[in-house]
Amino acid sequence: MKIKFGAVAALAAALGISTLVQAAPVQADSVHIAGEATTYYTLSNHYGISMDKIMNANPNIAANNIYPGLKLAIPGIVKAQALAAAEPAAKASGEASLLSVEPQTNTVQAWGKEYSYDKVLQVKATAYSSAVSENGKWGAVDYFGNPLKLGTIAVDPSVIPLGTKVLVTGYSHPGLPKQAFIATATDMGSAIKGNRIDIFIPGSQSYVADFGFQYVQLYMIE
């Protein structure tokens, strides 16, 4: 939904497997669907694979942006172990406990993780895809030339400096995590001015266009 100065890219992070317990080895490049307590550390313990290997297999998934339902690639042939204690099932999308804000301490909790924030900003949001018509001659990359991925947002740098990390809340679209996700301001466009952001969503142009215009809340996290 934007005309870019500088680019945007292909994408979507590697995704994955269910929480089913498996007695036999899982073949290479299995996928794991994250639960509320999922971290790279718990995956390393569960599958007996080093954190570095799992992180290298998921280069587009930041450690602080793992949320229930996210699919992660599990490299190599691994032997699954009992998962019940390590991976609680994701809560139903309607449960309010997934997101809570404590204004007194300037903290916000999302997906069981707590973040400190120094500013809250309400902005008008649109969404864009990796379509050529939305990204011009630069292609599907952000302003810095990095491939577009879930968590990329375009901003007006005079309002939100490039590089700023934010917790985005208050939106509705099936291509985004429910209730909240971590994003980084790494893109900008000529149509994004003032209290505006453009959210990159993986998928077809028509699918992304269903986002329309929405007012969302941003927590500038530290």
Side-chain angles (χ1 to χ4, degrees):
M1 193 82 175
K2 71 178 171 52
I3 303 169
K4 301 187 50 180
F5 297 131
V8 205
L11 179 300
L15 318 208
I17 148 180
S18 75
T19 56
L20 295 177
V21 174
Q22 315 215 1
V26 178
Q27 291 303 312
D29 295 332
S30 295
V31 291
H32 180 97
I33 297 178
E36 283 190 350
T38 302
T39 64
Y40 282 123
Y41 177 75
T42 62
L43 290 174
S44 175
N45 284 346
H46 175 65
Y47 289 106
I49 299 175
S50 73
M51 285 177 58
D52 285 345
K53 286 184 178 179
I54 298 176
M55 292 176 76
N56 287 339
N58 298 276
N60 294 316
I61 301 177
N64 66 350
N65 201 18
I66 297 176
Y67 50 83
L70 179 67
K71 297 175 183 178
L72 298 104
I74 306 299
I77 297 177
V78 297
K79 183 177 181 180
Q81 304 167 359
L83 184 59
E87 297 293 338
K91 293 186 178 180
S93 61
E95 294 189 22
S97 59
L98 294 179
L99 179 68
S100 64
V101 182
E102 296 293 339
Q104 302 90 335
T105 57
N106 275 33
T107 57
V108 56
Q109 290 189 354
W111 303 115
K113 299 182 177 75
E114 183 174 272
Y115 306 94
S116 296
Y117 65 89
D118 57 14
K119 184 179 179 181
V120 182
L121 188 66
Q122 186 180 62
V123 299
K124 187 176 183 179
T126 50
Y128 66 108
S129 71
S130 58
V132 174
S133 61
E134 296 185 71
N135 298 289
K137 65 181 181 181
W138 297 278
V141 294
D142 65 18
Y143 179 76
F144 299 99
N146 301 308
L148 294 176
K149 63 181 183 293
L150 184 66
T152 297
I153 58 173
V155 301
D156 179 344
S158 68
V159 177
I160 302 173
L162 289 173
T164 300
K165 287 188 178 296
V166 299
L167 181 70
V168 186
T169 68
Y171 54 83
S172 176
H173 191 279
L176 295 172
K178 292 180 174 63
Q179 296 200 13
F181 70 99
I182 299 293
T184 306
T186 58
D187 209 357
M188 57 185 187
S190 59
I192 308 305
K193 297 297 182 184
N195 282 25
R196 283 284 314 277
I197 67 168
D198 212 5
I199 301 170
F200 173 73
I201 300 178
S204 69
Q205 192 170 15
S206 59
Y207 173 72
V208 174
D210 286 341
F211 185 93
F213 290 93
Q214 300 183 35
Y215 284 92
V216 302
Q217 197 93 332
L218 303 181
Y219 293 87
M220 313 297 187
I221 61 177
E222 301 171 357

